[in-house]
Amino acid sequence: IPVKYRVDNGVWVSEIISSIPANTSFSYSFLKTVDLASFGAHKIEAVVDLAADSFHDNDTTVITLVNTPVISSFPHLQNFEKDNGYWYAGGKNASWEYGTPASEKINGAASGAKAWKTRLSGNYNDEEASYLFSPCYDISSLAVPTLSFSMALDVEDCGTTLCDAAWVEYSTDGVNWKKLGTSGTGTNWYNQKNDDLWSQQSYTRWHVATVALPKGI
């Protein structure tokens, strides 16, 4: 059975595998690998390319991998003026965009002209459960690791019922995530004490939020 793959819409790499019995699964590792060392997103397409197959909806899979640098030199400052800093968005119905904020309430950046914002010239999406991912940080050399960033916030306020919110999570393996910090710790860290998150309307003045990072990670 012919199988093939390509990266970033490049040239297809084709190989042949043995037949696969019906109603079974088969794991295959391509003999020819690809260099994914360059930073940024890489789209990988893999296809089972059987000539007699007239139904192609189930013979292709596509995945996007993001390679980011490991930052180990501190203090580290990223104001996004040069580029997006290798940050990237994900999750459900994400509206995160990098560029110059131009919405009605948030129409500037904390430093210079560029920032990451949920829709640069409008509002975030309904039913959005999105994430903004940073590059990896090696903080093992720091005695008192600390995260500090500028934030402007305008999310729907439903009174006693929680509608929309934001918070920070961290992961040591890229799979398991934990919420960072609690309300009352650090500076400007979470305004909702019961849920440990930010949920505030018309807090559009850029302000600095700071909290300690876990040691030994």
Side-chain angles (χ1 to χ4, degrees), residues 45-113:
E45 301 171 81
V47 179
V48 178
D49 193 21
L50 187 63
D53 184 7
S54 61
F55 183 74
H56 298 290
D57 289 356
N58 63 349
D59 57 13
T60 302
T61 185
V62 180
I63 188 174
T64 299
L65 302 178
V66 181
N67 184 23
T68 62
V70 176
I71 298 170
S72 57
S73 178
F74 301 100
H76 172 74
L77 174 64
Q78 176 59 260
N79 63 5
F80 301 113
E81 285 304 289
K82 182 180 178 181
D83 51 40
N84 64 12
Y86 296 110
W87 292 55
Y88 62 98
K92 175 187 174 183
N93 208 19
S95 64
W96 287 99
E97 295 177 334
Y98 163 72
T100 301
S103 62
E104 180 181 354
K105 292 186 177 181
I106 302 176
N107 50 26
S111 174

Side-chain angles (χ1 to χ4, degrees), residues 145-161:
T146 303
L147 172 67
S148 185
F149 69 97
S150 295
M151 175 177 61
L153 189 68
D154 183 34
V155 297
E156 185 177 5
D157 184 359
C158 295
T160 56
T161 301

Side-chain angles (χ1 to χ4, degrees), residues 57 116 118 172:
D57 289 356
W116 275 96
T118 50
T172 59

Side-chain angles (χ1 to χ4, degrees), residues 130-142:
S130 64
Y131 308 94
L132 182 63
F133 294 92
S134 75
C136 295
Y137 297 91
D138 180 0
I139 61 174
S140 59
S141 64
L142 300 180

Side-chain angles (χ1 to χ4, degrees), residues 120 161-162 212:
L120 291 172
T161 301
L162 179 64

